Amino acid sequence: MTGIRLTAPAPGWAIDADVVVVGSGVAGLTTALRCAAAGLATVVVTKARLDDGSTRWAQGGIAAALGEGDTPEQHLADTLVAGAGLCDETAVRALVTEGPDAVRRLIETGALFDKTESGDIALTREGGHHRRRIAHAGGDATGAEISRALVEAVRSAALHTVENALVLDLLTDAEGRTAGVTLHVMGEGQHDGVGAVRAPAVVLATGGMGQVFSATTNPSVSTGDGVALALRAGAEVSDLEFVQFHPTVLFLGADSEGQQPLVSEAVRGEGAHLVDASGTRFMLGQHELAELAPRDIVAKAITRQMHHHGTEHMYLDARHFGAEMWEHRFPTILAACRAHGIDPVTEPIPVAPAAHYASGGIRTDLRGRTTVPGLYACGEVACTGVHGANRLASNSLLEGLVFAERIAADIVRDRPERTEAVEPVGGSTSPLLVPESRAAIQRIMTRGAGVIRSAASLATAADDLEALHRSAADEAGAAEPKVAVPGVDAWEATNLLLVSRVLVAAAREREETRGCHWREDRPDRDDENWRRHLVVRIAPDRRLVVSRTETAAFPPVRATETPDCSSTVNHPADAPEEPQP
């Protein structure tokens, strides 16, 4: 335990439960439904409304070996290739073998997938897949349909839900075991202000951290809250340097910030071409799958073309689809494009890469357990080893399903007893950032740790982030401090700073190009030295410590053991003499 917590009022109310699930996407709601079905008192906490989880934004679909002639082994092979040597093969095997039945159980829950004329599930292809294995719904509204089905199931089961609530910190007992979470409810309702859910099992399914960058496909709530909470609680995170930039995001202008419209990979799966301003296809000859190469390869190719031509975007040409196909297969994307003055039926779509998915996160084992007893992580917030250095398209929803069921099975089997939370020994609070710091963090990260990185750009980013951190710490210790007022905006900015510092520390350490980590000063993949994972934690002296694993395999998840690492690197530039992460 680090003893570090966010600056916040003491909880004014409390709920007792057996399990608290934080997040209402596919990972969180699947876990909650399975736990509740087994008779456990389950509470779902979500940052927005119940149906506003990140899952609803997923367009393409969910990957599983459901089609004739397809097998889990083929799905495994494609996943391992995309992961660029860093996938945990055991975790991937669990994903692809358990995935088809998990999808069928999702259908039994009420999710309606698109069908062929013969009544089979309609399947398409996306980048990195050698077979058509992507099940979709509503054409390009798969996430929305999955969210609808799960939310309806949760409401039918009358689960206790706390909406519009930002999770703050983990509660622990005298033995260091999980005892619940503190949270802040925004607005009126049954609960208001800071409170607590007291439970011996906490499942973090809080989604991603795309808001560390200026342009992202992630919603505004994706501020890395789960990763930040876990770090403050003493958990390990891994592979955070591997941020996937989706190749084809609708280009709205160089100054556009916040959530950007995604143009699903399924559009390329159905035959759209990437072209430059002259209409020339540039993916031909760069990879055997051309436009359907893994995402990191396509994003790099687009970026190179942009640099070569001195432009800010390339184009996705699907005019040959015709109006009927656009209207029936991709109605959501068609509407988004037309809302911004672009008609894909008659003109190419301007696209550019934008931050999309964190392949790394809170380190877990195959049962979703973290290095903190009683704390679990699932979905994008977790690092199960499935994605390696680059997530294969449409494996994210499947990972949420499969590992949610594994987590629920572990909790149901153990049925941990409730214990009393205690104040951490030597506890301290993290200095809050003013809300305006959010935009500054995003600019720093976009410049220094975006699609293309270098030792120089990352060093500048680290220095600039450290300056923000020191400024907040100095202000908090001033005789007449003008500190940020505790509140959602300040807490989110503080979480963003912590996860940004960790991401940059890991990216500086990894001196190679692998998957979606692209170092222009280290352009080659170096398996001999870097087919390893980087594990980051906050040390007892409050420093960020980056450790390198001995092999491509993760060490066992044990709360009382130090990982077996070949090197440990302190980053004093990322932590002051008396830092308060």
Side-chain angles (χ1 to χ4, degrees):
M1 295 296 295
T2 67
I4 304 168
R5 293 187 177 179
L6 287 172
T7 302
W13 51 270
I15 303 169
D16 288 322
D18 296 322
V19 185
V20 55
V21 177
V22 186
S24 61
V26 63
L29 295 188
T30 301
T31 305
L33 286 166
R34 298 292 184 271
C35 288
L40 296 178
T42 305
V43 174
V44 176
V45 174
T46 184
K47 194 173 179 182
R49 301 292 296 176
L50 198 60
D51 57 359
D52 281 340
S54 294
T55 291
R56 65 174 290 203
W57 298 101
Q59 293 175 344
I62 184 166
L66 297 165
E68 183 178 354
D70 198 5
T71 65
E73 285 296 323
Q74 294 176 66
H75 190 180
L76 179 136
D78 286 344
T79 300
L80 295 180
V81 169
L86 281 186
C87 293
D88 181 324
E89 185 168 340
T90 305
V92 178
R93 192 170 296 280
L95 178 83
V96 300
T97 56
E98 298 173 22
D101 283 343
V103 172
R104 294 184 184 102
R105 284 188 288 273
L106 178 62
I107 293 171
E108 292 172 0
T109 302
L112 303 174
F113 287 91
D114 295 339
K115 300 289 187 66
T116 64
E117 292 182 359
S118 61
D120 297 325
I121 296 175
L123 301 172
T124 189
R125 279 183 67 193
E126 291 186 359
H129 293 272
H130 283 79
R131 283 191 174 272
R132 298 178 75 90
R133 65 167 66 97
I134 315 301
H136 48 83
D140 58 359
T142 310
E145 171 57 21
I146 290 174
S147 180
R148 179 204 62 77
L150 291 173
V151 168
E152 284 190 7
V154 165
R155 288 174 174 157
S156 296
L159 266 66
H160 190 156
T161 61
V162 183
E163 297 178 285
N164 299 310
L166 171 65
V167 67
L168 300 177
D169 282 301
L170 191 73
L171 295 173
T172 54
D173 63 16
E175 303 299 320
R177 285 193 55 85
T178 293
V181 291
T182 56
L183 61 155
H184 172 78
V185 179
M186 302 165 271
E188 301 176 357
Q190 183 180 356
H191 310 289
D192 194 17
V194 175
V197 180
R198 297 181 296 218
V202 172
V203 182
L204 297 177
T206 53
M209 43 184 274
Q211 289 292 323
V212 300
F213 296 98
S214 297
T216 176
T217 63
N218 291 189
S220 62
V221 295
S222 298
T223 51
D225 308 315
V227 171
L229 176 151
L231 282 164
R232 289 193 295 270
E236 296 175 350
V237 303
S238 186
D239 296 357
L240 219 61
E241 68 271 32
F242 297 118
V243 176
Q244 187 176 82
F245 285 76
H246 198 288
T248 53
V249 176
L250 183 62
F251 181 75
L252 300 180
D255 297 327
S256 297
E257 296 182 346
Q259 187 178 10
Q260 311 287 298
L262 178 66
V263 181
S264 170
E265 200 150 329
V267 178
R268 281 176 280 138
E270 296 292 350
H273 302 146
L274 284 166
V275 299
D276 59 23
S278 67
T280 302
R281 292 178 65 183
F282 54 83
M283 286 304 301
L284 295 175
Q286 296 206 31
H287 190 275
E288 61 168 336
L289 296 176
E291 280 89 357
L292 289 178
R295 287 178 176 174
D296 63 311
I297 293 172
V298 180
K300 291 172 186 175
I302 291 174
T303 303
R304 288 192 187 101
Q305 289 293 318
M306 288 161 53
H307 286 183
H308 175 72
H309 292 282
T311 59
E312 296 173 324
H313 62 82
M314 287 287 110
Y315 294 93
L316 186 64
D317 192 351
R319 289 174 291 180
H320 54 285
F321 284 5
E324 183 177 356
M325 181 174 175
W326 267 110
E327 290 166 0
H328 289 88
R329 181 65 179 86
F330 300 110
T332 306
I333 298 170
L334 177 63
C337 288
R338 285 177 170 170
H340 292 284
I342 299 155
D343 188 351
V345 177
T346 60
E347 60 186 316
I349 306 168
V351 294
H356 181 60
Y357 190 90
S359 292
I362 307 164
R363 191 168 78 84
T364 75
D365 63 9
L366 295 185
R367 289 186 274 172
R369 301 179 301 178
T370 73
T371 50
V372 175
L375 179 65
Y376 297 79
C378 191
E380 189 174 355
V381 73
C383 181
T384 63
V386 159
H387 304 309
N390 177 55
R391 174 175 67 85
L392 180 66
S394 289
N395 268 357
S396 52
L397 292 175
L398 190 70
E399 182 194 32
L401 271 183
V402 169
F403 284 86
E405 293 185 343
R406 284 175 157 259
I407 288 172
D410 193 71
I411 296 172
V412 169
R413 182 182 59 250
D414 291 349
R415 292 183 180 266
E417 296 182 359
R418 300 175 191 172
T419 56
E420 290 296 321
V422 299
E423 289 294 319
V425 177
S428 60
T429 56
S430 180
L432 293 179
L433 271 68
V434 295
E436 293 77 16
S437 300
R438 178 171 179 154
I441 293 168
Q442 292 171 333
R443 288 192 293 269
I444 291 167
M445 293 297 290
T446 298
R447 286 196 305 264
V451 179
I452 305 177
R453 304 163 179 176
S454 68
S457 75
L458 291 166
T460 299
D463 290 344
D464 291 345
L465 293 172
E466 180 61 22
L468 286 175
H469 178 73
R470 286 186 181 275
S471 176
D474 292 345
E475 187 61 44
E480 296 182 2
K482 298 178 181 179
V483 295
V485 177
V488 172
D489 291 342
W491 290 321
E492 286 184 333
T494 303
N495 285 339
L496 283 171
L497 179 61
L498 177 54
V499 297
S500 294
R501 291 170 61 213
V502 172
L503 191 161
V504 168
R508 294 179 75 184
E509 181 71 6
R510 183 172 291 279
E511 296 182 336
E512 66 159 353
T513 290
R514 181 184 297 273
C516 48
H517 172 66
W518 186 5
R519 286 280 299 261
E520 61 178 347
D521 57 332
R522 294 287 191 273
D524 299 321
R525 173 169 151 177
D526 181 359
D527 280 350
E528 181 178 354
N529 295 302
W530 286 107
R531 193 165 176 250
R532 310 283 190 274
H533 297 280
L534 294 176
V535 178
V536 186
R537 61 184 173 86
I538 297 178
D541 64 359
R542 307 297 192 261
R543 289 179 180 269
L544 294 181
V545 178
V546 183
S547 303
R548 192 190 316 179
T549 60
E550 286 278 10
T551 68
F554 277 117
V557 171
R558 295 290 186 270
T560 57
E561 295 177 2
T562 300
D564 183 14
C565 299
S566 61
S567 66
T568 298
V569 183
N570 286 319
H571 287 264
D574 294 320
E577 289 296 319
E578 297 181 357
Q580 304 284 323

